Amino acid sequence: MNYTTLCGIGVALLMGVAPILAFAPAPAQHTKLLFNGKNLDGWKHVGPGSMVVEGGLLHGVGGMGLLYYTGSTFGNCTFHVVYRMKDENDNSGVFIRIPLEPREEWMPVHYGYEVQIDNHPERSKEDDYHITGTLYSLTKPLAKPGKPGPQWNTMDITLDGPRTIVLVNGIKVTDYREGDPVPERKFDFEPQRGRRPDVGYFGIQNHSSNDIVYFKEISVRYAK
């Protein structure tokens, strides 16, 4: 077999293999709905107020309380949350990495992470460390893509071991790894500083009777 023939076989093999490599399937994903749009099966509420389902949407009544998912703890996954504010701006939060099953509303605040929902923290004399998509009082936003009410927003929160990544409307707002520097506490209602667990409980905050945020979808995606 001469050199030309060998080259031809090599090119043919490469041409045959290249499409397989280029179009190799992505890792399989498994998505689970945490909120079924009908009721609060699998959830439990702690603290003042409550969370209710009306017209397929979840929202808070009174507060400050927390609705947490009881079915499992979560790590190495991505939460997908679709929400909108009732008014031009309202306050709520998505809680992750809660170390223990909550028995009251303040433990998750101080020892988990709140992914904030509030486009105008300055109205409460707070700063950018308290804006939508940040880990409340801990991270500064990389962008500010939160849409005012009544427009719908998406929030994707990825837990990757000790790393937490938050996208709001497809734009990265937070990329934090345990041990990264954070500012000192300014208010007693801010979380305690320190490492959070890789695996923890998940919850949604009802902030107050004046802050109504509607949640249309809450799901979690795992890579198989």
Side-chain angles (χ1 to χ4, degrees):
M1 189 178 293
N2 61 32
Y3 178 78
T4 302
T5 303
L6 284 172
C7 287
I9 293 172
V11 170
L13 287 172
L14 286 173
M15 290 179 67
V17 170
I20 297 174
L21 296 176
F23 298 102
Q29 303 286 318
H30 169 64
T31 300
K32 177 181 180 180
L33 285 178
L34 301 182
F35 170 54
N36 62 20
K38 301 175 182 179
N39 52 49
L40 295 179
D41 288 353
W43 296 81
K44 186 175 180 179
H45 190 273
V46 293
S50 62
M51 295 286 266
V52 298
V53 181
E54 294 180 336
L57 304 179
L58 173 69
H59 70 87
V61 178
M64 185 198 79
L66 181 80
L67 183 75
Y68 72 95
Y69 188 74
T70 63
S72 64
T73 54
F74 300 93
N76 292 330
C77 63
T78 297
F79 298 104
H80 181 68
V81 179
V82 182
Y83 73 92
R84 70 173 177 86
M85 300 169 176
K86 177 182 178 182
D87 303 310
E88 181 266 339
N89 189 65
D90 288 295
N91 192 320
S92 183
V94 178
F95 280 75
I96 57 173
R97 301 189 186 273
I98 302 171
L100 302 170
E101 185 171 359
R103 293 291 182 262
E104 46 82 26
E105 70 277 17
W106 282 104
M107 183 276 287
V109 171
H110 287 302
Y111 300 106
Y113 287 144
E114 177 186 1
V115 182
Q116 176 71 332
I117 296 176
D118 181 0
N119 294 342
H120 293 287
E122 72 279 1
R123 296 177 185 176
S124 302
K125 299 182 180 180
E126 297 174 320
D127 58 19
D128 278 357
Y129 285 90
H130 304 79
I131 202 167
T132 297
T134 59
L135 302 184
Y136 183 76
S137 87
L138 296 167
T139 61
K140 195 169 185 179
L142 302 175
K144 302 177 183 178
K147 298 177 184 179
Q151 297 181 65
W152 287 103
N153 294 263
T154 61
M155 179 179 283
D156 293 280
I157 305 167
T158 297
L159 309 184
D160 181 10
R163 187 180 178 195
T164 302
I165 302 169
V166 181
L167 306 183
V168 176
N169 298 318
I171 299 173
K172 185 187 290 188
V173 178
T174 293
D175 191 341
Y176 175 78
R177 184 179 293 274
E178 296 298 319
D180 285 349
V182 298
E184 294 184 0
R185 294 176 76 214
K186 294 181 180 179
F187 306 102
D188 61 4
F189 52 78
E190 292 181 339
Q192 300 290 335
R193 276 34 180 168
R195 184 182 175 88
R196 272 37 173 186
D198 290 353
V199 177
Y201 286 89
F202 172 89
I204 301 291
Q205 183 187 65
N206 57 303
H207 189 266
S208 75
S209 58
N210 295 321
D211 290 294
I212 305 300
V213 175
Y214 296 99
F215 296 89
K216 179 167 65 174
E217 180 183 340
I218 305 172
S219 60
V220 62
R221 185 175 69 251
Y222 302 93
K224 287 187 177 180

